[in-house]
Amino acid sequence: MRAFVFPGQGAQTIGMGQDLAASYPAAKAVFEEVDDALGQDLSGLIWNGDIETLTLTANAQPALMATSLAALRALESEGLGLDTASFVAGHSLGEYSALVAAGVLTLAQAAPLVRFRAAAMQDAVAVGAGAMAAVLGMEAAKVIEGCAQVQATFPANSGEVVEAVNFNDPSQTVIAGSKAAVEKACEVLKAMGAKRALNLPVSAPFHSSLMKPAAEK
């Protein structure tokens, strides 16, 4: 059984997909279509920009979708298209890449939709005010317990939030919330036995309750 699974934010890097665009006309066409749909030289940012600008969610989300679908088009050019797979799926933003891959949305429809989604998510929490971290080597139940302990140290109206939000596997859980609360939770969880707690390269606390305004939009 083969599946195509598309990544979410945090996977972005400068130069991603440039080799695909150079080698496969179908992959290059993906970047060109996304640039046209957004009215932006997004491919130029992806290949020659700076990582801080690319990491801003309004850029990272459409950039990752474009690169994911360019990779798919390259695979199709090599005879490994969707007809060879049983299903498609995606992590967070990757859901939209999967929807385009499956033909539910066109790329021209998805690009502005993803940009709108990204803007709503970034508007919900200012850049630098939120954070996410991956907690490794600890059961999810214990991560939830540690986050609750940290949350209890802040006054109810403080605006500080930290929650377990992504359950990636039995020993890897992602936490998200306000920057100070996430940083404090990382220290507490390491003291409780987590092997590592790594900050993620994202510009907002995705999947946390702080994203409620974005969900409403």
Side-chain angles (χ1 to χ4, degrees):
M1 179 182 293
R2 177 179 287 134
F4 289 96
V5 182
F6 300 97
Q9 284 181 256
Q12 68 275 356
T13 185
I14 295 297
M16 62 183 183
Q18 191 168 15
D19 56 339
L20 298 174
S23 300
Y24 298 94
K28 182 180 180 181
V30 170
F31 288 106
E32 291 174 344
E33 188 171 353
V34 171
D35 284 354
D36 289 344
L38 296 179
Q40 174 191 3
D41 183 18
L42 184 64
S43 56
L45 171 60
I46 297 169
W47 299 335
N48 301 305
D50 62 87
I51 190 62
E52 289 80 12
T53 304
L54 181 61
T55 296
L56 293 174
T57 187
N59 294 321
Q61 291 196 22
L64 282 165
M65 184 183 70
T67 305
S68 295
L69 293 167
L72 176 62
R73 300 298 177 240
L75 287 171
E76 290 173 342
S77 298
E78 296 291 341
L80 295 172
L82 285 181
D83 58 335
T84 69
S86 300
F87 59 89
V88 295
H91 181 110
S92 188
L93 158 72
E95 176 186 3
Y96 290 83
S97 304
L99 289 168
V100 175
V104 177
L105 295 171
T106 67
L107 187 55
Q109 290 171 328
L113 176 60
V114 166
R115 170 59 58 79
F116 175 81
R117 174 184 188 265
M121 294 171 78
Q122 193 66 77
D123 288 346
V125 179
V127 175
M132 299 182 77
V135 181
L136 310 179
M138 176 175 279
E139 294 180 358
K142 201 166 183 181
V143 175
I144 293 171
E145 176 188 341
C147 286
Q149 290 180 14
V150 171
Q151 188 67 63
T153 67
F154 296 105
N157 60 351
S158 67
E160 301 292 347
V161 172
V162 62
E163 301 160 338
V165 296
N166 294 76
F167 302 91
N168 292 342
D169 72 32
S171 62
Q172 184 187 118
T173 302
V174 173
I175 63 174
S178 56
K179 190 172 185 291
V182 169
E183 290 176 348
K184 185 172 183 179
C186 286
E187 295 304 316
V188 168
L189 291 166
K190 284 188 286 187
M192 291 173 63
K195 289 183 180 179
R196 301 180 76 183
L198 306 172
N199 288 330
L200 299 182
V202 296
S203 61
F206 307 124
H207 304 288
S208 73
S209 59
L210 296 177
M211 288 291 103
K212 184 178 179 181
E216 291 169 350
K217 287 184 179 179

